[in-house]
Amino acid sequence: MAASESTIDTSDMIVCRDVHKWYGNFHALRGVTTTVRKREVVVVVGPSGSGKSTFIRTINRLEEHQRGDIIVDGIELSNDVRNIDAIRRDVGMVFQSFNLFPHLTAMDNITLAPMKVRKLPARQAEEIAEQLLERVGIAEQAGKYPGQLSGGQQQRVAIARALAMQPKIMLFDEPTSALDPEMIKEVLDVMRELAESGMTMVVVSHEIGFTREVADRVLMFDHGQIIEESATEEFFDNPKEDRTKLFLSQILA
Amino acid sequence: MASATDTPPGVVLPPPITERGGVGWAYANLFSNWYNTVLTFIYAALLGVALWFGLSWIVLEADWKVIATLGGRLIIGQYNTEFACPGQNCFWRPQASLLLVSVLLGMAWAVSGDKAAKRIAIGVAAITVAFAFLPYSMDQMGLDVRLLLAANVPAVAAGWVLARRTPLGTVRWIVMLGVLFFLVILVLIGGVPGVPGLQPVSTIYWGGLMLNLLLAVTGITLSLPIGIALALGRRSSLPLVKLLCVVFIEVMRGMPLITLLFMSQVLVPLAFPQDFSTNSLFRAGIILTLFSSAYMAENIRGGLQALHPGQVEAARALGLAGWQTTVLISLPQAIRNVIPAIVGQFISLFKDTLLVYIIGMLDVVEFSRAFIQGNAEYLASARELFLFLALVFWIFTYTMSYVSRRVEVHLRVGQR
């Protein structure tokens, strides 16, 4: 995107300090502390129910945290609605189940938020959408409805939809888990290209090849906590925690 | 049976004869085994007997004179009688109202891409013209009445031209004109004091099919938005709003419509200034609308419940505000998913309009019943009359469900 190559900005995009989250009595996040810097790609792994999805959903406040601080791009997440709206404009999200709007065409899915939230004129929003559909490789599908697209195509439209708001951060919540094997690659290719363009990304994923290639850092979640956090190579080649070793042995098997 | 092993690769064989055409259909549906065959013959015999006696009664015995005698009174009830409209002929007022409806139908035909609008517009024009040529004497059915009926053809045409040749040819304009025409029709039928030719006709004389249609149109157009508001209110996070909506819906749904109409005689007047509320039609309209809204609210709430929560999450994650998410994402999907239930409620409302006889209004069915009771020579004609009324109601309700099916087809484009 438009990120300039000359000055590599390493400021903190996401800062989490001692974040706690309860669902009723269930303690889902138990003191999560981490920092994601600009242009960094962080992959979150962990067994199911470990809180990794909850964690990334607190970053744009789809889930509310009850204790601790989350600061996204310098804005603290609080109950202040204006802050939440500001953060949601700057944070794009891609879901496991795509969540495209089935009553709108691919084009309308992408132009909706730029027109209604950023108040862009229709023509400008459509130009952006066309560029993005080109970028994710499905320019010819603009007029189709989600139900007429394959899973991989739907997820690429969903990525284009998130990018249309020109976010500073992209969150991916298991973006390839619901896809047939032959469609996973087309989505990962788009994400790889996005990472190369300098987007700050937090990805919940178990795609080891993608993670090794693209991630700067890996966070290992278990029981609502980050039990291991290290640079990608270090994480795979020299894990410290027994739980991490067990987990890696299971997903690499 | 064709043997699969002999089929060379790439050759597509036609399905066996039992899967194709009329023979295949009959075999699969009527004679697939011995008890289906037996049932087929039993039903064929029963159907034959019913048709034989039914049709022979309709063709040979039935005396349809009562319908001809009632004629236009089935449409307008007592509207054009000496007490309602003393010293004048007021028949042209409902007729002019019908012309306005024809104009709208013509516009809908021009704008809609679907054949349904065209068929309905042509159907209405054809039926009204047919009425213009009924073999009444000129004393019974004057030239003015016949001309105004025949004018529905040019009215449809005028609407069509209006929509095609002027900027009025958009859905938005048709909806706005629809509301405007509805108000004009109310004024036209109700009259304006002091205007010659438009002398006021008390609503107690509004009757016949016209009354059913006015109540149904009012109820349908108002109960949908009220129902949407109630459904959203019931899902609101504000406890007071939620409580009020729940109480309203449950009270309205919990009482029979007849009871509500009775109570409207007593309760609704309390909520309005004394001289304002003495109007049965107004009360009936309110009760029918609110009653229908409560059911509508639950239909729409059902549609909202069925939405995947990811839809709202995706909208919120994109930064859409709560109300934008509701208006742009949740409601369009919820409503389209419950169109059959919504139209079912419309049909039910239309049929419920005849319950206004409870508060003394002469809708088409009550007017017919009163006529038969008051005219002993027609006592034997009740069957013919009510069979005819059943057909009339069926034509209207079937048109509604036909339109809803066409709407569904259009909205389902590319879905799932």
Side-chain angles (χ1 to χ4, degrees):
Chain A
M1 302 266 282
S4 70
E5 297 292 329
S6 54
T7 55
I8 291 175
D9 190 346
T10 54
S11 57
D12 296 338
M13 287 301 275
I14 305 169
V15 179
C16 297
R17 279 194 296 255
D18 194 30
V19 173
H20 288 261
K21 159 87 192 166
W22 286 264
Y23 292 109
N25 285 326
F26 177 66
H27 200 170
L29 295 180
R30 308 178 184 182
V32 174
T33 301
T34 189
T35 302
V36 178
R37 285 182 300 279
K38 195 165 191 174
R39 305 172 68 84
E40 209 179 8
V41 176
V42 173
V43 169
V44 182
V45 299
S48 99
S50 61
K52 51 193 194 305
S53 275
T54 306
F55 167 65
I56 79 163
R57 288 158 61 87
T58 58
I59 295 172
N60 66 351
R61 204 149 176 109
L62 285 182
E63 302 290 351
E64 213 171 297
H65 63 287
Q66 282 109 8
R67 218 166 81 195
D69 307 314
I70 301 176
I71 298 158
V72 178
D73 195 25
I75 305 169
E76 172 152 18
L77 273 178
S78 62
N79 281 325
D80 187 332
V81 178
R82 279 167 304 167
N83 282 358
I84 298 172
D85 286 347
I87 285 167
R88 284 180 177 158
R89 279 196 291 272
D90 285 347
V91 180
M93 187 156 194
V94 175
F95 300 85
Q96 179 178 355
S97 51
F98 327 138
N99 295 351
L100 289 179
F101 306 130
H103 60 304
L104 302 176
T105 60
M107 172 61 82
D108 292 341
N109 263 279
I110 299 171
T111 57
L112 182 73
M115 283 166 59
K116 300 294 175 185
V117 180
R118 290 218 188 273
K119 310 289 180 200
L120 290 188
R123 181 166 300 174
Q124 202 181 334
E126 276 162 25
E127 271 169 28
I128 293 172
E130 277 161 17
Q131 287 165 12
L132 286 169
L133 282 170
E134 189 79 42
R135 187 172 168 192
V136 299
I138 41 174
E140 72 286 358
Q141 311 285 4
K144 290 202 179 161
Y145 287 88
Q148 296 168 306
L149 300 174
S150 73
Q153 291 171 329
Q154 288 192 49
Q155 194 60 298
R156 287 187 281 160
V157 173
I159 294 172
R161 177 175 72 175
L163 290 175
M165 288 295 283
Q166 294 166 334
K168 296 176 179 159
I169 301 165
M170 284 285 282
L171 307 175
F172 293 83
D173 190 358
E174 307 208 27
T176 57
S177 306
L179 295 174
D180 292 337
E182 68 265 37
M183 291 171 185
I184 291 176
K185 183 174 175 296
E186 64 191 47
V187 171
L188 291 181
D189 284 345
V190 170
M191 292 170 63
R192 202 171 281 130
E193 186 268 324
L194 195 58
E196 279 160 12
S197 76
M199 177 64 76
T200 309
M201 292 164 62
V202 181
V203 184
V204 174
S205 177
H206 292 154
E207 298 293 337
I208 300 306
F210 171 81
T211 305
R212 271 184 179 273
E213 188 188 333
V214 174
D216 297 305
R217 210 143 47 87
V218 181
L219 306 183
M220 169 77 191
F221 263 75
D222 194 30
H223 292 109
Q225 288 174 314
I226 299 176
I227 59 165
E228 183 155 1
E229 173 172 8
S230 48
T232 308
E233 273 188 31
E234 178 79 3
F235 182 85
F236 285 108
D237 300 341
N238 193 13
K240 290 177 198 65
E241 300 290 326
D242 289 342
R243 184 69 188 86
T244 313
K245 288 174 192 165
L246 177 65
F247 178 75
L248 285 176
S249 73
Q250 281 165 340
I251 60 171
L252 291 172
Chain B
M1 253 206 241
S3 109
T5 50
D6 295 343
T7 310
V11 172
V12 182
L13 294 175
I17 182 71
T18 51
E19 302 287 320
R20 278 181 289 158
V23 177
W25 181 88
Y27 184 80
N29 291 290
L30 301 177
F31 306 107
S32 59
N33 51 40
W34 70 265
Y35 55 83
N36 271 357
T37 310
V38 171
L39 283 177
T40 299
F41 282 118
I42 292 175
Y43 282 127
L46 288 175
L47 196 65
V49 170
L51 278 180
W52 177 256
F53 287 103
L55 285 179
S56 66
W57 177 77
I58 286 176
V59 175
L60 302 175
E61 290 173 48
D63 178 6
W64 302 96
K65 196 156 64 59
V66 61
I67 291 155
T69 308
L70 276 166
R73 282 184 285 173
L74 285 175
I75 310 291
I76 59 168
Q78 295 177 292
Y79 185 81
N80 197 25
T81 54
E82 207 34 50
F83 355 94
C85 211
Q88 280 194 24
N89 186 354
C90 290
F91 201 62
W92 69 273
R93 283 151 67 171
Q95 283 195 293
S97 305
L98 180 60
L99 290 179
L100 289 178
V101 175
S102 289
V103 170
L104 280 181
L105 286 174
M107 292 180 78
W109 170 11
V111 169
S112 163
D114 192 86
K115 57 185 185 292
K118 176 181 172 182
R119 286 182 178 173
I120 293 171
I122 291 178
V124 167
I127 290 172
T128 48
V129 166
F131 280 132
F133 291 103
L134 283 178
Y136 288 106
S137 72
M138 279 293 167
D139 294 339
Q140 287 169 300
M141 190 176 182
L143 192 63
D144 53 339
V145 173
R146 291 174 195 264
L147 283 177
L148 276 171
L149 278 171
N152 280 289
V153 174
V156 167
W160 194 90
V161 171
L162 201 62
R164 283 285 164 96
R165 296 289 149 80
T166 69
L168 297 181
T170 62
V171 174
R172 180 176 303 217
W173 265 108
I174 293 179
V175 170
M176 287 200 293
L177 281 178
V179 174
L180 177 71
F181 282 6
F182 185 72
L183 297 175
V184 170
I185 287 172
L186 286 183
V187 171
L188 202 56
I189 293 176
V192 184
V195 177
L198 276 180
Q199 71 182 67
V201 177
S202 165
T203 52
I204 57 172
Y205 298 119
W206 298 21
L209 194 60
M210 175 180 86
L211 177 67
N212 296 86
L213 290 175
L214 282 173
L215 285 169
V217 169
T218 313
I220 284 170
T221 46
L222 293 180
S223 69
L224 186 60
I226 296 175
I228 290 172
L230 285 169
L232 294 176
R234 190 164 186 169
R235 288 164 59 92
S236 165
S237 52
L238 303 170
L240 186 65
V241 173
K242 183 176 176 155
L243 180 74
L244 285 175
C245 291
V246 170
V247 167
F248 179 87
I249 290 169
E250 295 306 335
V251 167
M252 279 290 164
R253 289 202 312 162
M255 280 197 260
L257 182 54
I258 292 183
T259 315
L260 286 170
L261 286 168
F262 265 133
M263 281 166 57
S264 74
Q265 298 275 56
V266 189
L267 292 183
V268 174
L270 294 180
F272 291 95
Q274 213 145 28
D275 50 343
F276 186 67
S277 59
T278 50
N279 187 331
S280 310
L281 179 70
F282 183 69
R283 282 201 297 261
I286 288 181
I287 293 296
L288 276 169
T289 303
L290 295 183
F291 181 79
S292 187
S293 307
Y295 283 89
M296 201 61 80
E298 291 297 273
N299 289 341
I300 289 167
R301 194 169 67 94
L304 289 168
Q305 310 274 63
L307 284 190
H308 190 279
Q311 290 291 311
V312 172
E313 282 180 359
R316 302 311 302 272
L318 284 167
L320 292 172
W323 66 269
Q324 287 177 318
T325 304
T326 301
V327 172
L328 299 168
I329 305 300
S330 305
L331 277 178
Q333 295 186 55
I335 290 175
R336 101 171 30 184
N337 288 341
V338 295
I339 285 177
I342 290 176
V343 175
Q345 184 55 39
F346 286 168
I347 289 174
S348 170
L349 170 65
F350 177 57
K351 292 187 296 185
D352 282 348
T353 57
L354 59 82
L355 290 177
V356 295
Y357 82 88
I358 287 289
I359 55 174
M361 306 215 62
L362 293 176
D363 80 296
V364 63
V365 175
E366 174 66 2
F367 183 80
S368 304
R369 194 198 59 76
F371 177 82
I372 296 249
Q373 214 153 53
N375 296 275
E377 68 270 33
Y378 288 108
L379 267 180
S381 300
R383 270 192 299 195
E384 287 85 348
L385 183 51
F386 286 108
L387 193 66
F388 177 75
L389 291 182
L391 179 70
V392 169
F393 271 83
W394 181 81
I395 287 171
F396 278 99
T397 55
Y398 183 76
T399 306
M400 284 194 241
S401 69
Y402 170 65
V403 170
S404 93
R405 267 183 288 133
R406 297 307 306 168
V407 169
E408 276 181 70
V409 166
H410 282 277
L411 291 182
R412 209 161 34 214
V413 176
Q415 291 255 311
R416 276 174 258 269

